[in-house]
Amino acid sequence: MSIFALQILLVGGATQGLCLALLLATRHANPLANRLLALLMLLVSAQSVLVAFDTREFFLAFPHLSRIGWLLPSLFGPLLYLFTRKLTSPAPRLRRADAWHLLPFALVLAYLLPYYLQPAAAKIAYLRDFQAASRDDFGWLNQLLNLEHIGYLLAALHALRRHGQRIRDEFSDLTRLRLRWLRQFLLFTLGIVLVGVAAFYGRKWGLSWISNVYHFHYLGVIGLIYWIGYRALAQPELFSSAQQDIPPGAAAGGPNVGAAALVVALEPTPAALPAPPDTTAAPAAKYQKSTLTPEQAQEVADALLAFMRAHKPYRQNSLTIQELARQLELPKHRLSQVLNEQLGKNFYDFVNEYRVEEVKHLLRDPRYAHYSTLGIAEEAGFNSKATFNAVFKKITGVTPSEYAKQSEIGV
């Protein structure tokens, strides 16, 4: 591929990035995360243009643009990390601690400011010394920026992993909350960065077979911009926060177990429902400051299991821990504590065990003989065929269709 063709692709991608930044900045859903991503796309687009015209002749003609390409990347990692944090946060907002992530940019700016303040003639004189300018391009500053990129990407992946753990404590259906696209985005970006770092050192050490991709690896960046643009247009819900999937009115209730939680149904209970709570479990470290006594925890656990049997809230496919806490008239953190300490389960596993047992019960019920297995799963509260199949096999060891056949022949 010729340099001219590469320039056309990079500039075209930068234009797409600018349009995407405008689209994201005007999104009403989760505006903070979208604006962080919009700013990142804007800076990446500007960097793509600088990479497209990264020639000695260009910077001799426009000396004040030299070394701008050193400064912009210092914001890439922090913005990507903050975007990940705010997109996966239940209450996204900027905090004072977030300002620390601007420290790399501030330090790089302070280091480069004397150069930026030089007159054009001084910069041109410096750029004419090709060996010195080239040596500085691959100096310690850009090497540290390479490490910064990798470090922030790993931190973003860690934040996403923690989000995956958190939603299992709060949601019973993860279909809309897994943010698979974000994981793909981060891994794709990490791959591009690793290729870029390899090309950087290949050029620094004179390894021609690697250094040949020094500029061409930016085609991956352009591909990433187009991929995000496609996702933003084709699946706009992907750029909403997880909190927006919580049903309206799912706020925690008062501090005491309400009367509704203590009503016990008189109808038969499906077999093999989750066992009564084990009160011998040691308190988790995160609940050491809790004022909930063992007696109160036992009372809440008994009320919870009674409520699950009586009212079957698990049949609500969008059930969240906040909604269940509201129905029980309990603070969410108390319900979470009882689930983790008394039952040793997260909310996702707790609710879906009930749903699986409900499916098994309905499969044996003649009134549901005309239902398909998926129809029965939906009656039990499952919202996704893939989730139903995966959860059912994890708990029972067989697929739903295998279990249905066993039920028919009385196994």
Side-chain angles (χ1 to χ4, degrees):
M1 182 184 295
S2 68
I3 296 298
F4 179 69
L6 177 64
Q7 289 175 336
I8 292 176
L9 289 173
L10 291 178
V11 172
T15 304
Q16 169 72 16
L18 292 174
C19 295
L20 175 59
L22 179 62
L23 174 66
L24 290 169
T26 55
R27 277 283 167 83
H28 296 296
N30 199 357
L32 177 56
N34 282 322
R35 286 168 187 169
L36 287 170
L37 183 58
L39 180 57
L40 177 61
M41 290 296 100
L42 185 64
L43 295 178
V44 168
S45 298
Q47 185 74 359
S48 297
V49 173
L50 292 174
V51 170
F53 297 97
D54 185 13
T55 63
R56 185 181 182 190
E57 293 74 17
F58 176 81
F59 287 114
L60 286 174
F62 303 96
H64 290 305
L65 292 179
S66 61
R67 291 196 176 182
I68 297 296
W70 293 16
L71 180 64
L72 297 184
S74 65
L75 287 169
F76 292 172
L79 285 173
L80 190 57
Y81 173 73
L82 289 174
F83 164 71
T84 303
R85 288 289 304 272
K86 303 311 174 185
L87 189 68
T88 58
S89 172
R93 61 185 178 86
L94 286 176
R95 298 175 172 84
R96 288 185 179 181
D98 294 333
W100 283 105
H101 296 290
L102 294 177
L103 184 60
F105 172 78
L107 292 175
V108 173
L109 178 60
Y111 175 76
L112 293 174
L113 194 58
Y115 178 82
Y116 291 150
L117 295 177
Q118 288 181 5
K123 292 177 181 178
I124 291 173
Y126 166 77
L127 293 170
R128 288 190 185 280
D129 187 350
F130 180 76
Q131 288 187 344
S134 179
R135 183 175 60 250
D136 291 343
D137 280 341
F138 298 92
W140 63 270
L141 179 60
N142 284 317
Q143 293 184 59
L144 287 178
L145 288 175
N146 286 334
L147 293 177
E148 182 210 60
H149 296 156
I150 295 173
Y152 267 108
L153 276 165
L154 294 178
L157 285 166
H158 178 67
L160 183 59
R161 180 174 173 272
R162 290 185 61 185
H163 169 70
Q165 295 171 341
R166 181 183 68 81
I167 61 177
R168 285 181 173 272
D169 286 331
E170 299 188 13
F171 296 89
S172 64
D173 177 53
L174 308 183
T175 307
R176 299 168 63 193
L177 302 169
R178 290 185 186 276
L179 294 181
R180 290 189 184 94
W181 74 268
L182 180 55
R183 185 172 183 272
Q184 294 168 355
F185 172 53
L186 293 175
L187 290 175
F188 189 7
T189 305
L190 180 61
I192 293 171
V193 168
L194 292 177
V195 171
V197 170
F200 175 91
Y201 282 103
R203 192 164 181 180
K204 176 179 173 62
W205 296 331
L207 304 175
S208 59
W209 59 280
I210 296 179
S211 62
N212 286 336
V213 299
Y214 180 67
H215 288 98
F216 288 89
H217 81 276
Y218 241 80
L219 291 176
V221 176
I222 299 305
L224 185 63
I225 290 174
Y226 277 103
W227 181 74
I228 297 173
Y230 166 75
R231 288 284 193 165
L233 292 172
Q235 296 175 285
E237 69 277 5
L238 295 179
F239 294 84
S240 299
S241 68
Q243 185 71 4
Q244 291 176 290
D245 290 318
I246 298 174
N256 300 314
V257 178
L262 301 177
V263 177
V264 181
L266 299 177
E267 61 184 90
T269 302
L273 280 174
D278 177 11
T279 58
T280 62
K286 67 178 180 178
Y287 299 118
Q288 286 182 350
K289 296 182 180 179
S290 172
T291 59
L292 190 67
T293 65
E295 293 76 17
Q296 290 173 327
Q298 179 68 60
E299 180 185 354
V300 172
D302 290 341
L304 169 63
L305 295 182
F307 187 78
M308 297 295 284
R309 291 192 298 268
H311 298 281
K312 301 185 178 183
Y314 50 85
R315 296 183 76 163
Q316 177 186 338
N317 57 30
S318 59
L319 184 67
T320 68
I321 195 170
Q322 280 189 289
E323 172 61 19
L324 183 57
R326 185 191 66 79
Q327 294 178 23
L328 289 165
E329 298 182 16
L330 271 173
K332 187 188 79 170
H333 67 274
R334 291 234 168 146
L335 178 56
S336 177
Q337 180 179 350
V338 168
L339 283 171
N340 284 277
E341 288 188 345
Q342 306 299 109
L343 292 167
K345 295 181 176 71
N346 57 48
F347 181 74
Y348 177 81
D349 290 338
F350 174 74
V351 172
N352 282 302
E353 284 179 7
Y354 273 93
R355 288 172 175 167
V356 167
E357 293 305 324
E358 184 74 6
V359 168
K360 292 160 68 175
H361 175 69
L362 296 179
L363 283 171
R364 292 190 174 97
D365 191 332
R367 292 175 297 176
Y368 291 86
H370 62 289
Y371 276 61
S372 67
T373 305
L374 181 58
I376 287 177
E378 291 173 348
E379 285 290 314
F382 284 103
N383 196 34
S384 160
K385 181 179 180 181
T387 299
F388 165 57
N389 288 334
V391 170
F392 193 95
K393 185 167 185 180
K394 177 183 176 182
I395 292 176
T396 66
V398 295
T399 65
S401 57
E402 289 171 343
Y403 184 86
K405 290 178 181 178
Q406 291 174 2
S407 300
E408 289 173 2
I409 62 176
V411 177

